[in-house]
mmCIF file of all heavy atoms in Angstrom:
data_model
loop_
_atom_site.group_PDB
_atom_site.id
_atom_site.type_symbol
_atom_site.label_atom_id
_atom_site.label_comp_id
_atom_site.label_asym_id
_atom_site.label_seq_id
_atom_site.Cartn_x
_atom_site.Cartn_y
_atom_site.Cartn_z
ATOM 1 N N LYS A 7 -19.819 5.215 -8.293
ATOM 2 C CA LYS A 7 -18.662 6.085 -8.466
ATOM 3 C C LYS A 7 -17.805 6.055 -7.203
ATOM 4 O O LYS A 7 -18.277 5.694 -6.119
ATOM 5 C CB LYS A 7 -19.105 7.533 -8.719
ATOM 6 C CG LYS A 7 -20.025 7.735 -9.908
ATOM 7 C CD LYS A 7 -20.487 9.189 -9.968
ATOM 8 C CE LYS A 7 -21.509 9.419 -11.064
ATOM 9 N NZ LYS A 7 -22.012 10.833 -11.057
ATOM 10 N N LEU A 8 -16.551 6.486 -7.349
ATOM 11 C CA LEU A 8 -15.645 6.664 -6.220
ATOM 12 C C LEU A 8 -15.007 8.042 -6.310
ATOM 13 O O LEU A 8 -14.721 8.540 -7.404
ATOM 14 C CB LEU A 8 -14.550 5.594 -6.229
ATOM 15 C CG LEU A 8 -15.008 4.158 -5.981
ATOM 16 C CD1 LEU A 8 -13.857 3.197 -6.206
ATOM 17 C CD2 LEU A 8 -15.572 4.007 -4.576
ATOM 18 N N ALA A 9 -14.772 8.656 -5.152
ATOM 19 C CA ALA A 9 -14.237 10.014 -5.108
ATOM 20 C C ALA A 9 -12.947 10.058 -4.308
ATOM 21 O O ALA A 9 -12.789 9.320 -3.318
ATOM 22 C CB ALA A 9 -15.266 10.972 -4.488
ATOM 23 N N TYR A 10 -12.055 10.920 -4.737
ATOM 24 C CA TYR A 10 -10.847 11.230 -3.975
ATOM 25 C C TYR A 10 -11.004 12.638 -3.431
ATOM 26 O O TYR A 10 -11.273 13.576 -4.186
ATOM 27 C CB TYR A 10 -9.611 11.125 -4.863
ATOM 28 C CG TYR A 10 -8.344 11.657 -4.244
ATOM 29 C CD1 TYR A 10 -7.885 11.183 -3.018
ATOM 30 C CD2 TYR A 10 -7.596 12.636 -4.891
ATOM 31 C CE1 TYR A 10 -6.718 11.675 -2.450
ATOM 32 C CE2 TYR A 10 -6.425 13.125 -4.336
ATOM 33 C CZ TYR A 10 -5.986 12.646 -3.121
ATOM 34 O OH TYR A 10 -4.830 13.142 -2.555
ATOM 35 N N ALA A 11 -10.855 12.798 -2.115
ATOM 36 C CA ALA A 11 -11.117 14.070 -1.440
ATOM 37 C C ALA A 11 -9.835 14.582 -0.787
ATOM 38 O O ALA A 11 -9.589 14.323 0.401
ATOM 39 C CB ALA A 11 -12.218 13.897 -0.399
ATOM 40 N N PRO A 12 -8.989 15.300 -1.519
ATOM 41 C CA PRO A 12 -7.695 15.721 -0.965
ATOM 42 C C PRO A 12 -7.802 16.732 0.165
ATOM 43 O O PRO A 12 -6.859 16.876 0.951
ATOM 44 C CB PRO A 12 -6.975 16.319 -2.178
ATOM 45 C CG PRO A 12 -8.067 16.724 -3.119
ATOM 46 C CD PRO A 12 -9.146 15.719 -2.926
ATOM 47 N N ASP A 13 -8.933 17.433 0.278
ATOM 48 C CA ASP A 13 -9.094 18.367 1.400
ATOM 49 C C ASP A 13 -9.279 17.632 2.725
ATOM 50 O O ASP A 13 -9.162 18.240 3.797
ATOM 51 C CB ASP A 13 -10.286 19.291 1.151
ATOM 52 C CG ASP A 13 -10.020 20.280 0.025
ATOM 53 O OD1 ASP A 13 -8.831 20.514 -0.288
ATOM 54 O OD2 ASP A 13 -10.988 20.812 -0.543
ATOM 55 N N ALA A 14 -9.562 16.350 2.649
ATOM 56 C CA ALA A 14 -9.656 15.521 3.853
ATOM 57 C C ALA A 14 -8.301 14.843 4.048
ATOM 58 O O ALA A 14 -8.101 13.698 3.655
ATOM 59 C CB ALA A 14 -10.762 14.481 3.693
ATOM 60 N N SER A 15 -7.372 15.562 4.659
ATOM 61 C CA SER A 15 -5.994 15.070 4.768
ATOM 62 C C SER A 15 -5.743 14.386 6.107
ATOM 63 O O SER A 15 -6.305 14.774 7.134
ATOM 64 C CB SER A 15 -5.001 16.229 4.618
ATOM 65 O OG SER A 15 -5.109 16.815 3.339
ATOM 66 N N VAL A 16 -4.864 13.381 6.061
ATOM 67 C CA VAL A 16 -4.367 12.758 7.286
ATOM 68 C C VAL A 16 -2.844 12.712 7.223
ATOM 69 O O VAL A 16 -2.249 12.656 6.148
ATOM 70 C CB VAL A 16 -4.919 11.319 7.480
ATOM 71 C CG1 VAL A 16 -6.418 11.347 7.703
ATOM 72 C CG2 VAL A 16 -4.565 10.419 6.305
ATOM 73 N N TRP A 17 -2.236 12.763 8.415
ATOM 74 C CA TRP A 17 -0.797 12.557 8.520
ATOM 75 C C TRP A 17 -0.565 11.061 8.660
ATOM 76 O O TRP A 17 -0.996 10.443 9.634
ATOM 77 C CB TRP A 17 -0.226 13.291 9.734
ATOM 78 C CG TRP A 17 -0.476 14.771 9.747
ATOM 79 C CD1 TRP A 17 -1.361 15.454 10.531
ATOM 80 C CD2 TRP A 17 0.172 15.758 8.936
ATOM 81 N NE1 TRP A 17 -1.310 16.797 10.266
ATOM 82 C CE2 TRP A 17 -0.374 17.013 9.282
ATOM 83 C CE3 TRP A 17 1.170 15.694 7.950
ATOM 84 C CZ2 TRP A 17 0.042 18.192 8.681
ATOM 85 C CZ3 TRP A 17 1.576 16.875 7.346
ATOM 86 C CH2 TRP A 17 1.017 18.105 7.717
ATOM 87 N N HIS A 18 0.134 10.468 7.689
ATOM 88 C CA HIS A 18 0.316 9.019 7.749
ATOM 89 C C HIS A 18 1.477 8.580 6.877
ATOM 90 O O HIS A 18 1.468 8.782 5.660
ATOM 91 C CB HIS A 18 -0.947 8.287 7.288
ATOM 92 C CG HIS A 18 -0.816 6.793 7.322
ATOM 93 N ND1 HIS A 18 -0.552 6.039 6.195
ATOM 94 C CD2 HIS A 18 -0.898 5.912 8.352
ATOM 95 C CE1 HIS A 18 -0.486 4.767 6.530
ATOM 96 N NE2 HIS A 18 -0.694 4.659 7.825
ATOM 97 N N SER A 19 2.484 7.992 7.490
ATOM 98 C CA SER A 19 3.590 7.357 6.777
ATOM 99 C C SER A 19 4.348 6.490 7.765
ATOM 100 O O SER A 19 4.110 6.556 8.979
ATOM 101 C CB SER A 19 4.522 8.398 6.137
ATOM 102 O OG SER A 19 5.100 9.241 7.124
ATOM 103 N N HIS A 20 5.252 5.667 7.250
ATOM 104 C CA HIS A 20 5.965 4.712 8.099
ATOM 105 C C HIS A 20 7.445 4.674 7.739
ATOM 106 O O HIS A 20 7.826 4.904 6.589
ATOM 107 C CB HIS A 20 5.397 3.301 7.921
ATOM 108 C CG HIS A 20 3.994 3.144 8.392
ATOM 109 N ND1 HIS A 20 3.671 2.971 9.718
ATOM 110 C CD2 HIS A 20 2.824 3.139 7.717
ATOM 111 C CE1 HIS A 20 2.352 2.858 9.841
ATOM 112 N NE2 HIS A 20 1.817 2.955 8.646
ATOM 113 N N GLU A 21 8.265 4.343 8.734
ATOM 114 C CA GLU A 21 9.682 4.031 8.526
ATOM 115 C C GLU A 21 9.880 2.589 9.000
ATOM 116 O O GLU A 21 10.372 2.332 10.087
ATOM 117 C CB GLU A 21 10.579 5.001 9.314
ATOM 118 C CG GLU A 21 10.296 6.467 9.072
ATOM 119 C CD GLU A 21 10.679 6.928 7.678
ATOM 120 O OE1 GLU A 21 11.590 6.317 7.073
ATOM 121 O OE2 GLU A 21 10.059 7.898 7.193
ATOM 122 N N ARG A 22 9.452 1.650 8.185
ATOM 123 C CA ARG A 22 9.426 0.249 8.589
ATOM 124 C C ARG A 22 10.753 -0.454 8.285
ATOM 125 O O ARG A 22 11.507 -0.025 7.411
ATOM 126 C CB ARG A 22 8.309 -0.479 7.847
ATOM 127 C CG ARG A 22 6.894 0.039 8.158
ATOM 128 C CD ARG A 22 5.921 -0.726 7.299
ATOM 129 N NE ARG A 22 4.534 -0.432 7.606
ATOM 130 C CZ ARG A 22 3.647 0.001 6.707
ATOM 131 N NH1 ARG A 22 4.022 0.213 5.453
ATOM 132 N NH2 ARG A 22 2.397 0.229 7.050
ATOM 133 N N PRO A 23 10.998 -1.577 8.967
ATOM 134 C CA PRO A 23 12.182 -2.377 8.646
ATOM 135 C C PRO A 23 12.159 -2.859 7.201
ATOM 136 O O PRO A 23 11.088 -3.066 6.612
ATOM 137 C CB PRO A 23 12.088 -3.553 9.624
ATOM 138 C CG PRO A 23 11.234 -3.063 10.742
ATOM 139 C CD PRO A 23 10.250 -2.118 10.124
ATOM 140 N N VAL A 24 13.331 -3.070 6.637
ATOM 141 C CA VAL A 24 13.441 -3.491 5.243
ATOM 142 C C VAL A 24 12.727 -4.820 5.017
ATOM 143 O O VAL A 24 12.028 -5.001 4.007
ATOM 144 C CB VAL A 24 14.923 -3.580 4.826
ATOM 145 C CG1 VAL A 24 15.059 -4.181 3.424
ATOM 146 C CG2 VAL A 24 15.575 -2.199 4.874
ATOM 147 N N ALA A 25 12.877 -5.763 5.952
ATOM 148 C CA ALA A 25 12.240 -7.073 5.790
ATOM 149 C C ALA A 25 10.719 -6.943 5.727
ATOM 150 O O ALA A 25 10.054 -7.634 4.937
ATOM 151 C CB ALA A 25 12.642 -8.001 6.933
ATOM 152 N N TYR A 26 10.155 -6.064 6.548
ATOM 153 C CA TYR A 26 8.704 -5.838 6.525
ATOM 154 C C TYR A 26 8.282 -5.262 5.176
ATOM 155 O O TYR A 26 7.288 -5.699 4.578
ATOM 156 C CB TYR A 26 8.315 -4.903 7.660
ATOM 157 C CG TYR A 26 6.821 -4.636 7.775
ATOM 158 C CD1 TYR A 26 6.045 -5.310 8.715
ATOM 159 C CD2 TYR A 26 6.184 -3.724 6.938
ATOM 160 C CE1 TYR A 26 4.679 -5.066 8.823
ATOM 161 C CE2 TYR A 26 4.826 -3.485 7.028
ATOM 162 C CZ TYR A 26 4.078 -4.162 7.975
ATOM 163 O OH TYR A 26 2.725 -3.920 8.056
ATOM 164 N N GLU A 27 9.013 -4.261 4.695
ATOM 165 C CA GLU A 27 8.666 -3.632 3.424
ATOM 166 C C GLU A 27 8.755 -4.634 2.280
ATOM 167 O O GLU A 27 7.954 -4.599 1.343
ATOM 168 C CB GLU A 27 9.571 -2.436 3.163
ATOM 169 C CG GLU A 27 9.345 -1.255 4.102
ATOM 170 C CD GLU A 27 8.041 -0.523 3.837
ATOM 171 O OE1 GLU A 27 7.230 -0.984 3.005
ATOM 172 O OE2 GLU A 27 7.816 0.513 4.482
ATOM 173 N N PHE A 28 9.736 -5.535 2.348
ATOM 174 C CA PHE A 28 9.852 -6.564 1.322
ATOM 175 C C PHE A 28 8.621 -7.468 1.323
ATOM 176 O O PHE A 28 8.027 -7.740 0.269
ATOM 177 C CB PHE A 28 11.122 -7.380 1.561
ATOM 178 C CG PHE A 28 11.206 -8.623 0.720
ATOM 179 C CD1 PHE A 28 11.344 -8.549 -0.655
ATOM 180 C CD2 PHE A 28 11.133 -9.884 1.308
ATOM 181 C CE1 PHE A 28 11.412 -9.703 -1.441
ATOM 182 C CE2 PHE A 28 11.200 -11.030 0.548
ATOM 183 C CZ PHE A 28 11.344 -10.940 -0.833
ATOM 184 N N GLN A 29 8.224 -7.937 2.497
ATOM 185 C CA GLN A 29 7.058 -8.809 2.583
ATOM 186 C C GLN A 29 5.791 -8.095 2.118
ATOM 187 O O GLN A 29 4.973 -8.677 1.389
ATOM 188 C CB GLN A 29 6.881 -9.298 4.018
ATOM 189 C CG GLN A 29 7.941 -10.246 4.502
ATOM 190 C CD GLN A 29 7.649 -10.771 5.897
ATOM 191 O OE1 GLN A 29 6.508 -11.075 6.231
ATOM 192 N NE2 GLN A 29 8.672 -10.859 6.718
ATOM 193 N N ARG A 30 5.634 -6.850 2.546
ATOM 194 C CA ARG A 30 4.442 -6.100 2.153
ATOM 195 C C ARG A 30 4.395 -5.893 0.640
ATOM 196 O O ARG A 30 3.352 -6.049 0.011
ATOM 197 C CB ARG A 30 4.417 -4.756 2.881
ATOM 198 C CG ARG A 30 3.183 -3.916 2.552
ATOM 199 C CD ARG A 30 3.166 -2.613 3.322
ATOM 200 N NE ARG A 30 2.031 -1.799 2.927
ATOM 201 C CZ ARG A 30 0.795 -1.936 3.389
ATOM 202 N NH1 ARG A 30 0.538 -2.866 4.289
ATOM 203 N NH2 ARG A 30 -0.180 -1.149 2.974
ATOM 204 N N THR A 31 5.518 -5.529 0.059
ATOM 205 C CA THR A 31 5.580 -5.317 -1.390
ATOM 206 C C THR A 31 5.253 -6.604 -2.134
ATOM 207 O O THR A 31 4.521 -6.599 -3.134
ATOM 208 C CB THR A 31 6.970 -4.804 -1.786
ATOM 209 O OG1 THR A 31 7.214 -3.571 -1.109
ATOM 210 C CG2 THR A 31 7.062 -4.576 -3.287
ATOM 211 N N TYR A 32 5.785 -7.705 -1.649
ATOM 212 C CA TYR A 32 5.498 -9.007 -2.248
ATOM 213 C C TYR A 32 3.998 -9.291 -2.238
ATOM 214 O O TYR A 32 3.403 -9.667 -3.268
ATOM 215 C CB TYR A 32 6.262 -10.081 -1.477
ATOM 216 C CG TYR A 32 5.901 -11.505 -1.820
ATOM 217 C CD1 TYR A 32 6.445 -12.136 -2.937
ATOM 218 C CD2 TYR A 32 5.027 -12.233 -1.009
ATOM 219 C CE1 TYR A 32 6.127 -13.455 -3.235
ATOM 220 C CE2 TYR A 32 4.704 -13.549 -1.299
ATOM 221 C CZ TYR A 32 5.258 -14.155 -2.411
ATOM 222 O OH TYR A 32 4.932 -15.456 -2.705
ATOM 223 N N LEU A 33 3.353 -9.101 -1.086
ATOM 224 C CA LEU A 33 1.924 -9.379 -0.979
ATOM 225 C C LEU A 33 1.100 -8.439 -1.856
ATOM 226 O O LEU A 33 0.155 -8.862 -2.531
ATOM 227 C CB LEU A 33 1.475 -9.255 0.473
ATOM 228 C CG LEU A 33 1.942 -10.350 1.431
ATOM 229 C CD1 LEU A 33 1.553 -10.009 2.860
ATOM 230 C CD2 LEU A 33 1.364 -11.699 1.037
ATOM 231 N N VAL A 34 1.442 -7.144 -1.842
ATOM 232 C CA VAL A 34 0.696 -6.177 -2.649
ATOM 233 C C VAL A 34 0.784 -6.526 -4.127
ATOM 234 O O VAL A 34 -0.231 -6.541 -4.844
ATOM 235 C CB VAL A 34 1.214 -4.753 -2.396
ATOM 236 C CG1 VAL A 34 0.675 -3.786 -3.454
ATOM 237 C CG2 VAL A 34 0.811 -4.266 -1.009
ATOM 238 N N HIS A 35 1.968 -6.845 -4.606
ATOM 239 C CA HIS A 35 2.129 -7.082 -6.040
ATOM 240 C C HIS A 35 1.613 -8.452 -6.458
ATOM 241 O O HIS A 35 1.259 -8.640 -7.628
ATOM 242 C CB HIS A 35 3.581 -6.846 -6.448
ATOM 243 C CG HIS A 35 3.892 -5.385 -6.528
ATOM 244 N ND1 HIS A 35 3.852 -4.675 -7.710
ATOM 245 C CD2 HIS A 35 4.186 -4.486 -5.563
ATOM 246 C CE1 HIS A 35 4.128 -3.415 -7.472
ATOM 247 N NE2 HIS A 35 4.323 -3.262 -6.179
ATOM 248 N N ARG A 36 1.528 -9.372 -5.521
ATOM 249 C CA ARG A 36 0.817 -10.614 -5.823
ATOM 250 C C ARG A 36 -0.650 -10.322 -6.070
ATOM 251 O O ARG A 36 -1.273 -10.866 -6.998
ATOM 252 C CB ARG A 36 0.985 -11.599 -4.662
ATOM 253 C CG ARG A 36 0.437 -12.994 -4.965
ATOM 254 C CD ARG A 36 0.849 -13.993 -3.909
ATOM 255 N NE ARG A 36 0.245 -13.721 -2.618
ATOM 256 C CZ ARG A 36 0.487 -14.441 -1.521
ATOM 257 N NH1 ARG A 36 1.358 -15.453 -1.572
ATOM 258 N NH2 ARG A 36 -0.098 -14.148 -0.378
ATOM 259 N N ARG A 37 -1.212 -9.423 -5.265
ATOM 260 C CA ARG A 37 -2.623 -9.053 -5.440
ATOM 261 C C ARG A 37 -2.844 -8.193 -6.681
ATOM 262 O O ARG A 37 -3.860 -8.326 -7.360
ATOM 263 C CB ARG A 37 -3.096 -8.308 -4.193
ATOM 264 C CG ARG A 37 -3.141 -9.164 -2.952
ATOM 265 C CD ARG A 37 -4.340 -10.088 -2.957
ATOM 266 N NE ARG A 37 -5.558 -9.314 -2.738
ATOM 267 C CZ ARG A 37 -6.755 -9.623 -3.250
ATOM 268 N NH1 ARG A 37 -6.881 -10.665 -4.038
ATOM 269 N NH2 ARG A 37 -7.807 -8.877 -2.971
ATOM 270 N N LEU A 38 -1.908 -7.293 -6.996
ATOM 271 C CA LEU A 38 -2.067 -6.453 -8.185
ATOM 272 C C LEU A 38 -2.088 -7.306 -9.456
ATOM 273 O O LEU A 38 -2.833 -7.016 -10.401
ATOM 274 C CB LEU A 38 -0.949 -5.417 -8.262
ATOM 275 C CG LEU A 38 -0.930 -4.348 -7.174
ATOM 276 C CD1 LEU A 38 0.189 -3.334 -7.435
ATOM 277 C CD2 LEU A 38 -2.278 -3.635 -7.055
ATOM 278 N N GLN A 39 -1.270 -8.344 -9.484
ATOM 279 C CA GLN A 39 -1.297 -9.257 -10.624
ATOM 280 C C GLN A 39 -2.634 -9.990 -10.693
ATOM 281 O O GLN A 39 -3.240 -10.120 -11.758
ATOM 282 C CB GLN A 39 -0.143 -10.250 -10.520
ATOM 283 C CG GLN A 39 -0.161 -11.358 -11.558
ATOM 284 C CD GLN A 39 0.076 -10.856 -12.962
ATOM 285 O OE1 GLN A 39 0.925 -10.002 -13.192
ATOM 286 N NE2 GLN A 39 -0.677 -11.376 -13.925
ATOM 287 N N ALA A 40 -3.115 -10.457 -9.540
ATOM 288 C CA ALA A 40 -4.363 -11.217 -9.518
ATOM 289 C C ALA A 40 -5.568 -10.347 -9.861
ATOM 290 O O ALA A 40 -6.478 -10.783 -10.581
ATOM 291 C CB ALA A 40 -4.553 -11.858 -8.144
ATOM 292 N N LEU A 41 -5.588 -9.116 -9.357
ATOM 293 C CA LEU A 41 -6.747 -8.246 -9.554
ATOM 294 C C LEU A 41 -6.763 -7.581 -10.925
ATOM 295 O O LEU A 41 -7.817 -7.480 -11.567
ATOM 296 C CB LEU A 41 -6.778 -7.160 -8.471
ATOM 297 C CG LEU A 41 -7.128 -7.589 -7.050
ATOM 298 C CD1 LEU A 41 -6.908 -6.437 -6.079
ATOM 299 C CD2 LEU A 41 -8.567 -8.084 -6.972
ATOM 300 N N PHE A 42 -5.608 -7.093 -11.357
ATOM 301 C CA PHE A 42 -5.569 -6.239 -12.542
ATOM 302 C C PHE A 42 -4.691 -6.775 -13.669
ATOM 303 O O PHE A 42 -4.609 -6.164 -14.725
ATOM 304 C CB PHE A 42 -5.058 -4.840 -12.157
ATOM 305 C CG PHE A 42 -5.806 -4.218 -11.019
ATOM 306 C CD1 PHE A 42 -5.177 -3.919 -9.822
ATOM 307 C CD2 PHE A 42 -7.162 -3.936 -11.127
ATOM 308 C CE1 PHE A 42 -5.867 -3.341 -8.768
ATOM 309 C CE2 PHE A 42 -7.866 -3.362 -10.087
ATOM 310 C CZ PHE A 42 -7.217 -3.070 -8.895
ATOM 311 N N GLY A 43 -4.010 -7.896 -13.436
ATOM 312 C CA GLY A 43 -3.069 -8.395 -14.428
ATOM 313 C C GLY A 43 -1.818 -7.547 -14.521
ATOM 314 O O GLY A 43 -1.132 -7.548 -15.546
#
């Protein structure tokens, strides 16, 4: 099993350059297609 524990919170977010976000999105969605179709 896997659990999500929202009471264990962290402060985390980014204001990244557009080019970085584009590359990251590309890589993530390449993997989402490969892993889950």
